[in-house]
């Protein structure tokens, strides 16, 4: 359904990476803001889309994770350039990280939950994703399902009260060999 948008996003990310490389090497006067704006607009459109299939959502999360890593790198490089520092060439670690991202996609799961007690299937999916990631990282089980469900319930209730939202988006992802677990207000 959204395959064309996801393919465009993938291609635009590659092109944006190249254009930023050209900009930081001094062969372009202005950053590629027009392409960056198109990427951000497409990211917003896809993130607000509620009809993505599970595989499309997985592919989107993989692409968006790569984009956020690049965006942070570009922001830091831009700040260094504005402060008069010489732009650094991409480090060997960043190049290896990019190659690793292309060969083994970063796993990311995002699930929106409004009531953890009535949506226990979603909580179980989130827990299964955490176990899958944690076991691949260290081979151990982090917490029991009962502890996890209680934590999700507490987090959901707290965020719903604080932000006045109906649903909370829980995201589990691997970012630079660390597990990132976030809970944010889902204002769809």
């Amino acid at each position: 359904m959204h395959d064309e948008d996801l393919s465009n996003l993938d291609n635009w990310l590659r092109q944006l990476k190249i254009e930023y490389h050209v900009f930081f090497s001094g062969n372009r006067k202005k950053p590629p803001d027009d392409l960056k704006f198109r990427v951000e607009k497409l990211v917003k459109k896809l993130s607000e889309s509620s009809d993505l299939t599970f595989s499309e959502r997985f592919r989107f999360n993989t692409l968006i994770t790569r984009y956020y890593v690049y965006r942070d790198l570009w922001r830091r490089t831009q700040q260094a350039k504005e402060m008069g520092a010489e732009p650094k060439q991409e480090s060997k670690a960043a190049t290896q990280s990019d190659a690793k991202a292309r060969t083994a996609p970063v796993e990311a799961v995002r699930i929106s939950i409004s009531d953890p007690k009535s949506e226990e299937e979603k909580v179980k999916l989130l827990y299964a994703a955490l176990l899958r990631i944690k076991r691949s990282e260290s081979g151990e089980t982090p917490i029991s399902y009962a502890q996890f469900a209680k934590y999700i319930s507490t987090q959901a209730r707290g965020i719903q009260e604080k932000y006045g939202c109906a649903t909370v988006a829980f995201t589990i992802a691997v970012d630079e060999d660390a597990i990132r677990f976030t809970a944010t207000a889902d204002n769809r």
Side-chain angles (χ1 to χ4, degrees), residues 5-85:
D5 285 338
L6 290 168
S7 294
N8 283 340
L9 181 59
D10 192 18
N11 291 333
W12 290 351
L13 283 177
R14 282 192 199 106
Q15 185 178 352
L16 194 58
K17 182 182 177 199
I18 291 167
E19 289 189 23
Y20 264 105
H21 183 73
V22 170
F23 168 68
F24 289 129
S25 66
N27 295 326
R28 181 182 175 148
K29 292 188 188 276
K30 292 171 33 177
D33 290 333
D34 53 335
L35 182 56
K36 184 178 176 190
F37 177 73
R38 279 190 289 161
V39 167
E40 288 176 351
K41 190 174 176 182
L42 184 56
V43 164
K44 183 172 175 27
K45 174 187 167 191
L46 288 169
S47 67
E48 292 174 349
S49 179
S50 61
D51 62 338
L52 288 173
T53 65
F54 186 75
S55 63
E56 289 172 336
R57 176 68 61 191
F58 181 83
R59 184 174 176 205
F60 171 70
N61 286 335
T62 302
L63 292 170
I64 195 70
T65 301
R66 185 175 359 143
Y67 172 64
Y68 288 150
V69 170
Y70 288 159
R71 187 178 70 178
D72 187 50
L73 174 68
W74 298 328
R75 181 188 53 78
R76 284 183 281 135
T77 307
Q78 180 69 27
Q79 284 176 339
K81 186 175 182 179
E82 288 171 355
M83 295 179 79

Side-chain angles (χ1 to χ4, degrees), residues 95-106:
T95 306
Q96 288 173 344
S97 165
D98 184 40
K100 184 178 176 183
R102 282 194 303 266
T103 57
V106 174

Side-chain angles (χ1 to χ4, degrees), residues 99-180:
K100 184 178 176 183
R102 282 194 303 266
T103 57
V106 174
E107 181 171 354
V109 176
R110 182 176 191 267
I111 297 177
S112 294
I113 300 175
S114 56
D115 179 14
K117 291 189 192 314
S118 67
E119 295 176 296
E120 191 174 348
E121 259 327 291
K122 289 183 178 181
V123 176
K124 286 181 180 178
L125 283 172
L126 206 55
Y127 184 68
L130 176 65
L131 290 181
R132 192 171 54 251
I133 292 170
K134 187 66 177 168
R135 284 186 184 138
S136 70
E137 294 290 315
S138 66
E140 61 184 81
T141 302
I143 61 174
S144 71
Y145 174 75
Q147 292 171 315
F148 183 78
K150 183 177 178 184
Y151 175 76
I152 294 297
S153 186
T154 304
Q155 289 294 313
R157 190 172 42 255
I159 290 172
Q160 287 169 335
E161 289 173 7
K162 184 175 182 178
Y163 295 103
C165 60
T167 60
V168 177
F170 292 91
T171 306
I172 298 176
V174 177
D175 183 19
E176 299 179 356
D177 296 328
I179 296 174
R180 300 280 182 235

